[in-house]
Amino acid sequence: MIDLRDVTVSYPLPDGNKREVFEHLTLSLKQGEMAYLIGPTGSGKTTLMRLIYMDLFPDEGVVRVGEYRSDMIEPKDIPYLRRSLGVVFQDFQLLPDRSVFDNVAFALYATGKSGAAVKNRVMQVLGRVGLQHKWKRYPHEISGGEQQRVSIARAIANEPWILLADEPTGNLDPRVADEIQKLLISLHRQGMTLLISTHDYRLVKKFPARTLALMKGQIVDVDAETIGEVARKNRRR
């Protein structure tokens, strides 16, 4: 489903040198799997997400998502790859001048859908996230947790088989964060492959799943009992 092999990514520095984010990194996620990606700010969590939806390409190595490969994909095929992915961001990224309905519908219009098919699908996914009754509201009229639910509805509107959540609870208080986490897990249980990046170790321990830690440009499988030690090691870097 998702496979990164021997991936190296670096960024140029003002002095002409490079900062390596990943060096010969390898990762594999199976269809229907759920995993956390943990690590402090700046460890490369968002970079890894961008590699998966091919907003960024590796300096070396190959990223494979389903039938698509980073070393072979044509620019015209990238939108088709992204239709099979749903992405949820920390800052929601909703359009402030559009209603809840129109924010979700936007994802469908972008793929050429129109008319009754759009209306039916939008109301269906709003129902799945518990917001069907607020379809006329605007982002500023609903809470942060509800805005994130709209973001999730938009992400699943095109029925993706992979859901990427990049710090989805980072701007939410613990109670609301738990609600969003339960919603994401419910979508996973309905068949979606789910990768959640987070620095909220409380959530990882409360809702355990496979946990991948970014450490020194590499990915290490860890368990809930060692998360505290991972955090201490990262702080000492």
Side-chain angles (χ1 to χ4, degrees), residues 215-216 226-237:
M215 300 177 65
K216 298 180 180 179
T226 64
I227 286 176
E229 180 61 26
V230 170
R232 286 190 290 274
K233 287 180 179 179
N234 274 302
R235 284 197 294 268
R236 291 198 296 267
R237 285 180 57 188

Side-chain angles (χ1 to χ4, degrees), residues 147-207:
Q147 288 183 56
Q148 191 60 292
R149 286 176 179 269
V150 177
S151 177
I152 293 169
R154 181 183 58 193
I156 65 173
N158 282 304
E159 301 181 274
W161 37 268
I162 297 173
L163 187 59
L164 306 175
D166 191 3
E167 298 281 4
T169 61
N171 290 335
L172 305 174
D173 66 49
R175 180 187 62 79
V176 178
D178 285 0
E179 293 175 359
I180 294 298
Q181 188 70 11
K182 289 175 183 177
L183 173 58
L184 292 170
I185 291 171
S186 74
L187 294 170
H188 158 66
R189 288 174 177 166
Q190 294 169 34
M192 288 186 190
T193 303
L194 176 61
L195 180 62
I196 303 173
S197 77
T198 184
H199 60 263
D200 188 345
Y201 300 137
R202 179 193 67 84
L203 279 179
V204 178
K205 289 183 176 182
K206 187 169 183 177
F207 304 97

Side-chain angles (χ1 to χ4, degrees), residues 18 38 45 49 76 84 87-88 94 130 189-190 192 202 235:
K18 291 184 177 181
I38 66 170
K45 299 189 298 296
M49 294 284 191
K76 64 181 176 62
S84 62
V87 185
V88 179
L94 299 178
R189 288 174 177 166
Q190 294 169 34
M192 288 186 190
R202 179 193 67 84
R235 284 197 294 268

Side-chain angles (χ1 to χ4, degrees), residues 12-24:
L13 297 175
D15 62 6
N17 292 316
K18 291 184 177 181
R19 174 184 175 265
E20 286 197 339
V21 183
F22 304 133
E23 186 175 9
H24 304 298

Side-chain angles (χ1 to χ4, degrees), residues 50-57 63 69-70 73 81-82:
R50 290 177 64 200
L51 286 168
I52 294 172
Y53 59 85
M54 297 193 191
D55 185 48
L56 178 70
F57 290 84
V63 178
R69 291 173 52 113
S70 61
I73 193 168
L81 160 70
R82 292 178 182 166

Side-chain angles (χ1 to χ4, degrees), residues 99-115:
S99 67
V100 165
F101 180 95
D102 288 334
N103 266 280
V104 178
F106 182 81
L108 296 165
Y109 292 139
T111 63
K113 296 182 176 67
S114 61

